[in-house]
Amino acid sequence: MNRFINKTVLVTGGNSGIGFAAAQGFAAEGARVVITGRDPKTLDAAKATLGPNAVALRNDATDPAAAKTLADALTSRGITLDAIFINAGIAKLAPIEIVDEAFWDQVFNVNVKGAYFAIKALVPLMNPGSAIVLNGSVNAHIGMPNSSVYAASKAALISLAKTLSGELLPRNIRVNVVSPGPVQTPLYGRLGIPADKLPDVAASIQSQVPLKRFGTPAEIASAVIYLASADAAFIVGTELLADGGMSQL
């Protein structure tokens, strides 16, 4: 399919995991893809894979001021956007007894504040009929122990898909959210769980998925690409759960 020929798509955190899979999917459908990330090595590797039309920009989603820097960098290149996948985020798990303000602020600064101000900075660059897709999480629905801060940050994004849709529809911009279930990505190695405990945690999580497996980044990317495309033109302010049935069965 070629749903994104002559269109430009931005994927934040597009240098690994779900973001990179989405960037590959958009490129395969004809898009010029712009990816952001913090790691120059993975950015360069991702750009090389995506091809000569791809643009890779180092940008720190933990810094709200970086959103304006990103918008300025796109403007200087004459780039306008037809879709944005707000994917950059962090997942940290901890019981309430050890959560402190620094932990809370780190998660919310990246997952909510960073996402919000990125959208604010990028909206002026968005073309009529464009779409924003946010990366939520099944954790906002299932009450998983030790995920209170992370889950709350993702619930905030799900809310933003509705409220920002209401604000941006007059500009002909749709906002939706994809909420993945457990997906095998590099993020799992950065949950804050000791390395020797990760296999047991992964097995426990996988047992809760009706399909009895983790999802793949490509499966989540397909949902993202659908919501960003004209095929989803009548879908607004909606959450698409891609969780193997975890929140439903």
Side-chain angles (χ1 to χ4, degrees):
M1 299 177 71
N2 295 298
R3 291 175 287 186
F4 290 89
I5 287 179
N6 298 322
K7 296 184 182 295
T8 301
V9 179
L10 169 67
V11 180
T12 69
N15 52 335
S16 67
I18 293 170
F20 180 53
Q24 288 180 297
F26 281 119
E29 297 233 17
R32 175 174 61 162
V33 179
V34 181
I35 60 170
T36 69
R38 288 190 294 171
D39 185 340
K41 289 183 179 178
T42 56
L43 270 175
D44 289 344
K47 183 181 184 304
T49 301
L50 292 170
N53 290 328
V55 177
L57 299 172
R58 192 170 182 220
N59 196 260
D60 186 356
T62 67
D63 178 10
K68 185 178 184 306
T69 302
L70 174 59
D72 289 344
L74 296 174
T75 300
S76 70
R77 290 167 169 80
I79 293 175
T80 58
L81 300 171
D82 298 288
I84 300 173
F85 179 31
I86 299 291
N87 167 71
I90 60 172
K92 293 187 71 175
L93 306 182
I96 191 170
E97 292 84 1
I98 68 170
V99 171
D100 55 19
E101 286 188 56
F103 183 102
W104 174 281
D105 288 344
Q106 182 185 17
V107 174
F108 267 76
N109 283 347
V110 178
N111 291 354
V112 184
K113 188 175 182 179
Y116 186 89
F117 284 98
I119 293 169
K120 178 182 177 180
L122 295 168
V123 160
L125 303 181
M126 299 192 73
N127 296 318
S130 56
I132 299 170
V133 182
L134 308 177
N135 193 351
S137 173
V138 69
N139 285 93
H141 297 278
I142 61 173
M144 176 180 165
N146 302 326
S147 73
S148 58
V149 179
Y150 173 69
S153 74
K154 292 300 186 175
L157 286 183
I158 293 166
S159 176
L160 282 178
K162 299 179 185 298
T163 53
L164 290 180
S165 284
E167 288 193 37
L168 297 178
L169 272 180
R171 300 175 184 244
N172 199 13
I173 298 172
R174 296 180 299 109
V175 186
N176 292 291
V177 56
V178 169
S179 288
V183 177
Q184 190 61 56
T185 75
L187 194 64
Y188 264 92
R190 301 194 290 269
L191 290 174
I193 298 169
D196 63 327
K197 302 292 185 183
L198 272 174
D200 289 340
V201 172
S204 174
I205 293 172
Q206 187 168 303
S207 71
Q208 300 173 52
V209 181
L211 289 180
K212 301 304 179 187
R213 66 174 178 86
F214 287 105
T216 68
E219 287 172 325
I220 309 306
S222 294
V224 171
I225 293 164
Y226 165 67
L227 287 179
S229 75
D231 290 345
F234 203 58
I235 299 176
V236 180
T238 294
E239 179 187 16
L240 196 167
L241 278 152
D243 64 353
M246 190 175 187
S247 64
Q248 306 297 322
L249 305 183

